[in-house]
Amino acid sequence: MTIILLISFSSHIFMKKNFNRYLEDIIEGRKKSLIKDISNTYKNGQWDNKNIEDIGIEAINNGFIISIKDISDNVIWSAKTHNSSMCEAMMSRMGYNMSIVNPGYKGDYTEEVYNLKIDEKYAGILEIGYYGPLYYNDSDVIFFKTLDNILIFVGIFSLGISIFIGILISTSISKPIGSVVKATNSIATGKYKNKIKKESNIKEINEMISSVNTLAFSLDEEEKIRKIMTKDISHELRTPLTTMQGQLEALIDGIWEPTEERLQSIHEEVRRLSRLVGSLEHLSRYESEDLILNKNEVDIKELVEMILINFEKELHDKNISVNNKLETFIINVDRDKITQGLINIISNGIKYTEQGGIIEITCDEGKNIAIIHIRDNGIGISKEHLPYIFQRFYRADKSRTRATGGAGIGLTISKAIIEAHGGNIKVKSEINKGTEFIIEIPKV
Ligand code: ADP
C-alpha cells in the first residue's frame, strides 16, 4: 500500500511539474505566433483593423487580452474596450482552472509589451495580458484531470490486486504453518500419531511438514522402544530372580539339600545376571557422548585372526569353517573396543550357524573407510525382525536365543562402538540362507 501510494503521489507531482513546463513553452509559442499574426496585418503602412479584431477575439479564447497601439500611441484595437465582460470572464475562468489543478498557486493578471517592427521599422505596440506566469485552459484541465484519474484508477486497481495476492500468499503460508503448530503442540503433549496431511505448494513448508512428521514418527518409535525395553529388562531380570528365589526358599525350608550341584545352578544364574548387568553398563558407556577412544593403528587381519583363535573351540565343536580372506589393512581405532564389537558379531555368526556351516570374512577399501563383511550361511533373520536387531534386548527368536544365552544386547553394543568411531553397521539377511554384516569404519 505504501509503495502504491508513494508511486501515485510522486507520479502526480512529477507529471504536474513537467506538464507546467510544457504549458509554459506552449504559452510562449502562442505569444510568438500572436505577434507574428498581428504583424502580418500591417500592409502598406496601414493596420488592417478587421483582421486585428478577428485575431484579438480568437486570442481571448486562447487566454490573451491584447491591445494594439500605432506609432502615435493611439489605440487601434483593445480587447478590453471591445468586450470587457468577455475578458473578465476569461480571466476568472483561468484563475479558477489554476486553483483546481494547482491549489495554492499564486498567479495574477500579467501584462507584457512588445514593440512591433515591420521591415526593421517601428510600427506600433502590442500589449499582451494574460493570467501569468502560467494558465490552464479548459482542455488542459480536462487532460490533466484525466491523467490524475488514470493514476487513481491504476493505484486502486493495483492496491486491490496486491491485497488479493497478499491474502492468497499469506493464507497459503499461514494455513500449513497453523497445522504444523497444531501438530507440534500435540507432539508436546505426547500424541505422536496425528500426521500432518496438508500439502503445500511451497517447497520449504513441505519440507517442514515432512520433518515434523518424521519427528513425530521417531518419537513414536522411541516411545515404543522405551516401553518394550522396560518390559524386556524386567522380564530378563525376573526369570533368573524367580528361579533363584524358588531354589533358595527350597534350601531354607529344608526341602532341598544344599548339594554342590544345586548351589552351582544358583551360582550360574547369579553369573548370568551379573553378565547382563555388566553388558548394560558397557552399553551405557559406549553410548555416552563423551566416550574416550584410545586410538592406535590396528591391522584388521591380525585382529580378526586373534578373535578367531579365541573361538577355536566353538568353531571346532560345530564344525564351522572360517573363510578368512583378509589381507593386512591398517586402520586407526580403539583396539579393545573394536575387538569387542567384532567379537559380538562373529560370536553371533557361530551361534546362529548350523553344524558344518561357513563364515566368510572380507575387507574392502572405500574412500577413507574400511568396509568389513562378516557373512555366514546360518539360520538367517526374517524380514520382520531385521530392522530391530540392533535394538537392546531384541531377539529374533526369543525361545531359541534364550537357549543360546543371548540377552539381545550384543549387536546394540557393536553398533554403539562402531558409531562412536564415526562408522556404521548394516545387515542383510535371508531366512535359512544366512546373514551378512557390513561394517564401515573410517581409516583414521
Ligand atoms: P543375542 O545376545 O541374543 O545374540 P544380539 O544383539 O547379538 O543378541 O543379536 C540380536 C538378535 O539378532 C539375536 O537374538 C538373533 O536373533 C539375531 N542375530 C544376530 N546375529 C545373527 C546371525 N548371524 N544369524 C542369525 N540371527 C542373528
Side-chain angles (χ1 to χ4, degrees):
M1 279 172 76
T2 313
I3 288 171
I4 288 165
L5 279 178
L6 268 179
I7 290 178
S8 307
F9 188 69
S10 54
S11 315
H12 172 85
I13 304 264
F14 179 77
M15 245 169 47
K16 194 153 76 178
K17 220 173 139 195
N18 279 287
F19 193 65
N20 284 353
R21 207 173 295 151
Y22 162 78
L23 275 185
E24 274 166 15
D25 289 348
I26 291 279
I27 290 168
E28 215 41 52
R30 280 182 196 152
K31 279 193 273 183
K32 273 187 191 141
S33 67
L34 196 60
I35 296 167
K36 201 170 146 211
D37 289 347
I38 294 289
S39 303
N40 284 345
T41 63
Y42 191 80
K43 297 250 161 62
N44 307 323
Q46 290 291 313
W47 290 102
D48 178 347
N49 289 11
K50 176 75 190 93
N51 242 338
I52 288 177
E53 187 172 305
D54 291 347
I55 295 168
I57 294 168
E58 173 76 18
I60 299 174
N61 292 330
N62 276 332
F64 294 117
I65 298 168
I66 61 166
S67 125
I68 300 160
K69 290 179 183 162
D70 62 15
I71 37 177
S72 329
D73 221 19
N74 298 323
V75 176
I76 300 168
W77 191 86
S78 160
K80 278 181 196 158
T81 329
H82 175 76
N83 194 340
S84 87
S85 60
M86 191 179 168
C87 292
E88 268 164 35
M90 184 275 287
M91 276 302 289
S92 71
R93 183 99 203 128
M94 295 301 164
Y96 171 73
N97 283 354
M98 282 311 279
S99 70
I100 324 178
V101 182
N102 294 300
Y105 180 83
K106 290 217 166 17
D108 211 345
Y109 182 72
T110 316
E111 212 168 56
E112 287 166 9
V113 180
Y114 297 92
N115 285 333
L116 297 171
K117 277 187 182 167
I118 316 285
D119 297 333
E120 300 298 316
K121 267 174 81 186
Y122 174 65
I125 284 174
L126 172 64
E127 286 169 1
I128 304 179
Y130 62 102
Y131 189 91
L134 179 72
Y135 67 82
Y136 276 53
N137 61 28
D138 290 355
S139 52
D140 296 334
V141 174
I142 292 169
F143 175 75
F144 195 76
K145 280 273 150 198
T146 312
L147 278 183
D148 253 6
N149 288 342
I150 289 174
L151 265 184
I152 292 168
F153 173 76
V154 169
I156 292 173
F157 186 71
S158 329
L159 201 69
I161 293 226
S162 54
I163 289 173
F164 177 69
I165 292 177
I167 290 172
L168 268 190
I169 292 178
S170 62
T171 45
S172 76
I173 294 174
S174 66
K175 264 198 178 162
I177 288 185
S179 39
V180 170
V181 170
K182 231 163 114 188
T184 46
N185 281 342
S186 82
I187 289 174
T189 58
K191 289 175 201 137
Y192 309 126
K193 295 261 186 271
N194 303 343
K195 255 186 113 188
I196 309 170
K197 285 183 201 89
K198 261 223 134 36
E199 280 279 305
S200 157
N201 38 19
I202 300 167
K203 191 176 137 234
E204 286 76 8
I205 289 191
N206 275 340
E207 280 171 8
M208 183 169 73
I209 290 176
S210 73
S211 305
V212 172
N213 281 342
T214 317
L215 175 78
F217 178 76
S218 324
L219 286 171
D220 194 30
E221 287 288 292
E222 282 283 319
E223 179 78 7
K224 273 190 213 147
I225 293 168
R226 237 195 334 263
K227 282 181 186 154
I228 292 170
M229 213 179 90
T230 322
K231 205 173 107 211
D232 284 355
I233 203 164
S234 52
H235 182 77
E236 285 306 317
L237 295 173
R238 174 150 304 284
T239 320
L241 282 174
T242 319
T243 319
M244 281 193 297
Q245 193 184 354
Q247 288 173 338
L248 286 170
E249 277 168 7
L251 288 172
I252 291 164
D253 293 347
I255 302 167
W256 272 6
E257 283 291 309
T259 61
E260 195 188 329
E261 250 176 43
R262 282 176 179 146
L263 290 174
Q264 198 68 47
S265 152
I266 296 171
H267 184 234
E268 189 45 49
E269 286 298 314
V270 173
R271 280 188 48 192
R272 218 163 78 81
L273 261 180
S274 67
R275 266 205 311 270
L276 175 66
V277 174
S279 308
L280 281 171
E281 265 171 8
H282 270 122
L283 179 60
S284 77
R285 203 158 2 111
Y286 293 141
E287 282 185 333
S288 80
E289 278 177 7
D290 41 38
L291 173 72
I292 297 164
L293 297 172
N294 295 315
K295 285 190 179 181
N296 278 307
E297 289 195 339
V298 174
D299 178 5
I300 302 178
K301 180 178 189 287
E302 183 254 321
L303 188 84
V304 170
E305 275 168 2
M306 191 208 72
I307 295 171
L308 289 174
I309 290 170
N310 287 330
F311 281 113
E312 226 162 8
K313 185 177 179 307
E314 286 86 343
L315 289 166
H316 180 261
D317 287 351
K318 288 182 90 172
N319 192 23
I320 293 172
S321 50
V322 177
N323 193 354
N324 182 0
K325 291 185 177 169
L326 290 177
E327 285 173 20
T328 296
F329 200 113
I330 309 288
I331 51 174
N332 201 24
V333 290
D334 185 319
R335 186 185 177 95
D336 289 349
K337 295 189 178 85
I338 286 290
T339 306
Q340 182 62 56
L342 292 179
I343 284 178
N344 293 350
I345 295 162
I346 294 173
S347 74
N348 277 347
I350 299 169
K351 257 197 282 184
Y352 302 114
T353 300
E354 311 285 359
Q355 287 276 342
I358 303 169
I359 294 176
E360 191 182 85
I361 306 173
T362 57
C363 183
D364 302 327
E365 187 174 356
K367 202 180 169 209
N368 293 324
I369 50 167
I371 310 165
I372 307 166
H373 301 258
I374 301 175
R375 203 173 296 130
D376 65 55
N377 62 351
I379 59 169
I381 308 163
S382 66
K383 270 204 178 73
E384 52 170 309
H385 294 301
L386 211 53
Y388 307 105
I389 60 160
F390 293 106
Q391 288 175 9
R392 60 206 88 185
F393 302 118
Y394 197 89
R395 293 177 308 209
D397 181 341
K398 299 216 191 273
S399 54
R400 184 166 44 185
T401 48
R402 178 174 287 282
T404 60
I409 296 180
L411 284 181
T412 321
I413 290 182
S414 300
K415 187 170 190 270
I417 293 173
I418 290 158
E419 283 180 354
H421 279 83
N424 71 69
I425 178 165
K426 283 182 254 168
V427 62
K428 288 182 194 166
S429 189
E430 222 175 301
I431 205 99
N432 292 331
K433 286 211 170 138
T435 305
E436 179 183 5
F437 285 92
I438 304 143
I439 304 152
E440 291 181 355
I441 307 174
K443 281 200 264 184
V444 282

